[in-house]
Amino acid sequence: MSVACVHKQDDQKVSISSSDPDATVLANTLYVHLKDLMSKGIMFGHQDDLAYGVNWKYEDGRSDVKDITGEYPAVFGWELGHLEIDAPANLDSVPFNKMKEFIRKGFEMGSVITISWHLNNPLNGGSAWDPDPKTVESILPGGEKHDVYKEWLDKVAAFVNDLVAEDGQLIPVIFRPFHEWNGSWFWWGKDHCSASDFKALWKFTVSYLRDEKNIHHLLYAFNSDKFYSEEEYMERYPGDEWVDLVGFDIYQREMDNEEYVKVLDTMLTNLEHLAKKRNKVPALTEFGGVNTDSTWWTKTFLPVLKKHKVSYVLGWRNAGLKNNGELEYYVPYKGDVSENDFREFYKDSITLFQTDLLKEKIYK
Ligand code: BMA
C-alpha cells in the first residue's frame, strides 16, 4: 500500500510520511501517530527497560519504571552492538533472542520500539569507542572493509526481519545508528571523518537496508550530541530523503541545574525549528539527569519539557552496579531518592506512558 493511501480516521490526507516510499503500512501509521501525538504530550521511554534494572535482571514482567509508577514506558529502547560479531548477547549482555521477545512484548502492549547500534570498529576490530581516522572511508563503497560492513548490515537486516508480531506483520522500529556524531568518542564521530564521508555512510546504510535488503519497516532517527546551532546540526545532515526523526542526546553531567535548563531549552528550540522546517519528528533520543537531586524530574526536567513539543524522551539504561564499581542508572528505581518525584512526573498530564499510548492505538 502506498503512502498516499494511508488516511487518518477522518479521511484527511496524512500529515507526514516516511522517507521510504515503500514503507510498510504499519511503519507509516506509526510515523503519522508520532507526529500527531506531539499535540497531546511527550512519550516517556527507557533503554533496556524489560531486561534489567538496578539490583535485578530478567525477572518476568519487571521494569524499574513500572516498579514505581505501576506502568511500563511508552517507548522501549534496545541496542544491537555486538550483533555484527555474531555474539549471542549484546555489549551490555542482553541476549539477542531475549531482546527479540522483549521487542515483541513491547509492540503487543502498544508501545514504540527504538534500536541503537554501538557497532564495533570494522577497520581495527576495536569497540565503537576505538576510533581510527580511516574507518569511515574504509567501509564506504570501494573501501577495503566495505564488504565486511555489508555483512554486518546483513545481520541487522536478519535481526529486524525476525521482529514479527503475533498477527504476522513486521514490527516497525525507529532505527538510530551512528548517534552522537558531533562528538568524537565513537569512530564515526566528528574528528574521525569528514562531513561528506559521514553523510555518504548514512546514505549507504539506509539505501543498503532499504533498497538491497528490501527492509521497509524502519524509521530512521538521526541524532547529535549537545549542539549549539542549527548550522552545526545541518553540517552532517544527510538530507530529508534519508531521515524520519531528528534528535539529540544530552547528559547533564558536570552542568548545574540552571545551566542544564538553559542548554536543554535552547537545544529543544533549535531542534523543533529544524524539524518543523523539514517536516520531521523531533525527539530527545537519550538523556540522563542528576540522580542525587530528589526533585530533578519535576523541578528541572519537566518545566523545560512543558515549553516544547517533542515526540519522546528516552532515559538511558539502568545498568545498576557495574564491574568497575560505578552505579549507572538514569531512571529512578524502587527505593531511590527520586522515587516520589518521578511518580509526580509520571502523573503530570504531559507525560505519556504505556496505557496512555495503548488508548491512542498508534498501530491502527
Ligand atoms: C553507555 C553505557 C555503557 C553501554 C553503552 C551502550 O552509555 O551505558 O555501559 O555499554 O552505553 O549501551
Side-chain angles (χ1 to χ4, degrees), residues 62-353:
R62 193 161 175 193
S63 138
D64 277 347
V65 169
K66 184 166 177 271
D67 274 0
I68 293 185
T69 64
E71 271 205 53
Y72 291 109
V75 178
F76 290 104
W78 301 100
E79 161 62 37
L80 292 187
H82 287 186
L83 182 78
E84 69 279 2
I85 54 168
D86 295 322
N90 81 353
L91 76 169
D92 300 321
S93 309
V94 182
F96 288 112
N97 57 358
K98 275 203 162 72
M99 194 185 296
K100 286 179 185 170
E101 286 309 311
F102 291 137
I103 289 173
R104 289 182 195 115
K105 189 173 169 181
F107 172 80
E108 300 298 345
M109 58 170 95
S111 288
V112 175
I113 309 298
T114 177
I115 296 183
S116 52
W117 190 22
H118 290 72
L119 66 166
N120 275 1
N121 183 320
L123 182 61
N124 65 16
S127 76
W129 293 265
D130 204 345
D132 178 315
K134 292 211 164 18
T135 312
V136 172
E137 213 184 312
S138 80
I139 61 176
L140 289 174
E144 60 171 300
K145 294 291 177 186
H146 183 59
D147 287 343
V148 171
Y149 184 54
K150 283 206 290 195
E151 281 166 25
W152 288 11
L153 288 176
D154 291 344
K155 295 174 196 180
V156 171
F159 183 93
V160 297
N161 273 335
D162 202 21
L163 301 176
V164 182
E166 273 165 21
D167 65 2
Q169 294 194 79
L170 285 161
I171 298 171
V173 166
I174 299 171
F175 186 44
R176 189 171 71 87
F178 305 123
H179 63 303
E180 301 177 3
W181 40 260
N182 61 336
S184 294
W185 39 91
F186 297 128
W187 56 256
W188 56 86
K190 183 165 121 268
D191 291 348
H192 315 301
C193 61
S194 66
S196 67
D197 277 356
F198 180 77
K199 289 188 221 177
L201 172 62
W202 184 278
K203 290 181 201 174
F204 174 78
T205 303
V206 175
S207 154
Y208 186 76
L209 291 172
R210 188 182 65 192
D211 309 325
E212 296 289 319
K213 305 301 293 182
N214 259 312
I215 290 178
H216 300 292
H217 58 295
L218 301 182
L219 297 171
Y220 290 88
F222 176 81
N223 85 265
S224 66
D225 194 66
K226 286 210 285 297
F227 73 104
Y228 298 94
S229 67
E230 269 189 62
E231 214 173 31
E232 179 193 351
Y233 197 95
M234 295 312 294
E235 205 179 288
R236 282 173 190 244
Y237 184 73
D240 293 345
E241 61 277 47
W242 307 98
V243 171
D244 300 302
L245 290 92
V246 286
F248 63 82
D249 295 356
I250 182 171
Y251 291 86
Q252 187 166 341
R253 299 210 169 100
E254 70 290 346
M255 288 182 271
D256 62 23
N257 285 347
E258 204 186 328
E259 188 190 352
Y260 172 77
V261 162
K262 227 169 101 187
V263 170
L264 179 61
D265 192 27
T266 308
M267 283 169 67
L268 285 171
T269 303
N270 286 337
L271 183 75
E272 276 175 277
H273 189 247
L274 69 88
K276 202 169 190 172
K277 262 208 286 213
R278 291 169 183 83
N279 202 21
K280 302 295 174 193
V281 171
L284 208 179
T285 39
E286 273 181 44
F287 75 89
V290 177
N291 292 336
T292 49
D293 178 347
S294 63
T295 57
W296 185 84
W297 293 89
T298 58
K299 298 285 185 294
T300 299
F301 196 42
L302 189 60
V304 189
L305 295 186
K306 287 198 164 178
K307 292 167 70 181
H308 297 279
K309 289 209 181 330
V310 287
S311 170
Y312 68 85
V313 297
L314 184 98
W316 200 239
R317 66 194 200 104
N318 279 12
L321 196 59
K322 299 207 290 189
N323 290 340
N324 62 7
E326 182 201 348
L327 181 64
E328 186 188 2
Y329 70 102
Y330 303 92
V331 173
Y333 57 94
K334 196 117 195 101
D336 184 55
V337 290
S338 305
E339 178 180 341
N340 290 336
D341 194 51
F342 186 71
R343 208 172 289 120
E344 294 309 310
F345 174 86
Y346 154 78
K347 282 186 204 151
D348 195 281
S349 60
I350 195 198
T351 56
L352 307 175
F353 285 71

